[in-house]
Amino acid sequence: GESVGLHLPTLSVQEGDNSIINCAYSNSASDYFIWYKQESGKGPQFIIDIRSNMDKRQGQRVTVLLNKTVKHLSLQIAATQPGDSAVYFCAENKDDYKLSFGAGTTVTVRA
Amino acid sequence: GAVVSQHPSRVICKSGTSVKIECRSLDFQATTMFWYRQFPKQSLMLMATSNEGSKATYEQGVEKDKFLINHASLTLSTLTVTSAHPEDSSFYICSATGGADYEQYFGPGTRLTVT
């Protein structure tokens, strides 16, 4: 089975609110994690990444948190905008450069 | 930034025919390229890893004789779906890495419909 998974398949958020998307992984040896955004009919777009020697990393309006103790990864989006509506995937690096993707969370932003 | 293109973006073919999909890294040399398949409302599933000049490595359950991968240069990998059937209809996505780090750069995907 998949070693990376998401807690909730969908998330509805009011425009302007913060979004939190969660991901659980099972391979404690994974050392690199990435969040991708995928809009309908397009390829995944890199959002932010984090290595296992860190527990937090911030980007523009996004923050990734890594809790290695419970093998949990989250993506926080500040001040969610309509353009943030998409499917979000977490991915882990398992082996060499291979990535294993989680199931995905569909984020819908309400105006 | 690193750009990966795919061609065609959409293709419709008849059952039993073969289809070739190209993946190109436009502004960097891709030592490794990956091919994924994504069914509707599902995640990306890795099909195979291809390194320039060597044979592709296929994931378990992926038929290498059906999904032919060629990585003849550092900027081009091709995936040929041979004897396509309706169940091969899917969104095929490639990614490429330059090898310096783990980051993979994804192409825009190719929607294959087999009738």
Side-chain angles (χ1 to χ4, degrees):
Chain A
E2 290 181 344
S3 67
V4 179
L6 289 161
H7 292 302
L8 295 173
T10 62
L11 175 68
S12 180
V13 60
Q14 186 69 38
E15 181 180 357
D17 287 353
N18 297 334
S19 303
I20 299 176
I21 306 166
N22 296 303
C23 180
Y25 66 96
S26 59
N27 188 348
S28 57
S30 293
D31 60 359
Y32 179 60
F33 304 87
I34 314 101
W35 280 101
Y36 290 97
K37 173 185 179 184
Q38 186 180 30
E39 296 175 317
S40 181
K42 297 183 179 179
Q45 175 188 353
F46 174 90
I47 300 173
I48 192 167
D49 59 1
I50 189 168
R51 297 197 180 275
S52 59
N53 61 353
M54 302 173 70
D55 52 21
K56 180 178 180 178
R57 190 157 187 236
Q58 289 185 291
Q60 188 176 10
R61 280 201 309 120
V62 294
T63 301
V64 55
L65 299 177
L66 175 63
N67 185 329
K68 293 182 288 293
T69 303
V70 295
K71 289 184 276 191
H72 182 267
L73 190 69
S74 70
L75 176 70
Q76 300 177 4
I77 304 173
T80 312
Q81 302 169 0
D84 295 326
S85 293
V87 180
Y88 290 81
F89 294 97
C90 63
E92 67 174 325
N93 170 260
K94 293 182 72 173
D95 161 21
D96 292 329
Y97 296 107
K98 290 184 184 180
L99 294 178
S100 177
F101 281 78
T105 294
T106 301
V107 173
T108 303
V109 181
R110 304 188 307 272
Chain B
V3 179
V4 175
S5 70
Q6 283 184 239
H7 177 79
S9 57
R10 291 177 176 270
V11 57
I12 300 172
C13 71
K14 292 187 176 179
S15 189
T17 62
S18 296
V19 175
K20 182 185 283 188
I21 302 169
E22 293 185 349
C23 176
R24 294 183 185 271
S25 57
L26 298 185
D27 50 3
F28 68 102
Q29 292 187 325
T31 51
T32 305
M33 287 183 167
F34 302 88
W35 287 96
Y36 296 84
R37 181 167 50 182
Q38 186 178 31
F39 292 108
K41 298 192 184 301
Q42 293 189 24
S43 188
L44 282 74
M45 296 301 295
L46 180 64
M47 298 174 67
T49 303
S50 99
N51 293 295
E52 184 265 338
S54 62
K55 288 185 179 180
T57 304
Y58 290 81
E59 295 300 299
Q60 194 172 7
V62 178
E63 299 174 57
K64 63 179 181 181
D65 294 330
K66 180 168 183 62
F67 298 99
L68 302 178
I69 291 171
N70 184 278
H71 192 163
S73 78
L74 283 171
T75 59
L76 173 64
S77 176
T78 60
L79 167 69
T80 301
V81 183
T82 63
S83 188
H85 291 286
E87 56 265 31
D88 297 324
S89 298
S90 188
F91 194 48
Y92 291 87
I93 306 169
C94 73
S95 71
T97 176
D101 53 31
Y102 289 133
E103 187 164 356
Q104 290 185 24
Y105 302 97
F106 283 83
T110 295
R111 172 75 59 195
L112 170 63
T113 303
V114 184
T115 60

